[in-house]
Amino acid sequence: MKDGIKMDGQAYLQLLQQRLQRYFDCKPTPEELPFALVAELNAADEGYFIVPSIKTYSVQHNEYLYVQRFEQPLTMAMVQPYLNYLRQKMQNLVTTTEHMNSLFALVLVCEKGLEPSVQQELTTFKYHKDYCFSLKGWSDLAVFIADLPNRQLSYNKAGRKTAAYFDFPH
């Protein structure tokens, strides 16, 4: 326990909701798997020439966030159904020529820690999907591990840019 502050899974979820509420929309949880929180961000950027009716470009960026709490030490067997679910969501994503990229993020909130091999396997985990040879964009799967007993956040390479959302308060 760092800084003498104890954080449980519910407090961590509330912290995430506060940080994300400005940009993300909460979504209903899917029936296939239980999630503690599902949220989505859709952003677009457009360029115009002199007047808005003459559009020079338009790109879309999306983030799909899935958070789950685990009350026992995390194992790869517990994580695998969530990874498979998000891989399937990436495969079935409908894109357009304006779609640039989407980030699918899985946040694993570990209230009782995790097996050492899990951290190594998930921080080196990589899953990337191109749509129509990248003409319709691409997606990456970011994995974040919030180890509450040690107040440590781990993530894979795809999660590097957005890790600040999920880090612990200092």
Side-chain angles (χ1 to χ4, degrees), residues 33-35 68-85 106 108-115 118 122:
L33 275 176
F35 285 99
Q68 181 57 336
R69 287 172 54 188
F70 295 93
E71 296 178 354
Q72 61 266 24
L74 188 67
T75 65
M76 276 309 292
M78 296 163 65
V79 175
Q80 208 57 52
Y82 296 95
L83 293 175
N84 293 339
Y85 177 79
L106 175 62
L108 307 167
V109 181
C110 307
E111 295 190 43
K112 302 283 188 202
L114 60 149
E115 291 182 353
V118 174
L122 291 177

Side-chain angles (χ1 to χ4, degrees), residues 67-169:
V67 181
Q68 181 57 336
R69 287 172 54 188
F70 295 93
E71 296 178 354
Q72 61 266 24
L74 188 67
T75 65
M76 276 309 292
M78 296 163 65
V79 175
Q80 208 57 52
Y82 296 95
L83 293 175
N84 293 339
Y85 177 79
L86 290 182
R87 283 185 189 124
Q88 191 63 40
K89 294 293 271 185
M90 289 171 70
Q91 292 293 326
N92 297 333
L93 184 67
V94 177
T95 60
T96 66
T97 54
E98 293 182 348
H99 175 262
M100 184 173 192
N101 68 319
S102 292
L103 180 70
F104 286 78
L106 175 62
V107 181
L108 307 167
V109 181
C110 307
E111 295 190 43
K112 302 283 188 202
L114 60 149
E115 291 182 353
S117 62
V118 174
Q119 183 174 8
Q120 173 64 29
E121 191 165 342
L122 291 177
T123 54
T124 59
F125 176 82
K126 181 179 180 180
Y127 190 74
H128 176 85
K129 170 76 174 124
D130 288 319
Y131 302 101
C132 194
F133 303 104
S134 294
L135 294 172
K136 292 185 177 181
W138 66 89
S139 292
D140 287 303
L141 178 51
V143 180
F144 299 91
I145 307 163
D147 183 358
L148 298 184
N150 297 314
R151 290 181 54 93
Q152 178 183 359
L153 180 71
S154 304
Y155 46 89
N156 65 352
K157 186 176 179 181
R160 192 178 326 154
K161 290 181 182 175
T162 56
Y165 288 145
F166 311 108
D167 209 358
F168 293 93

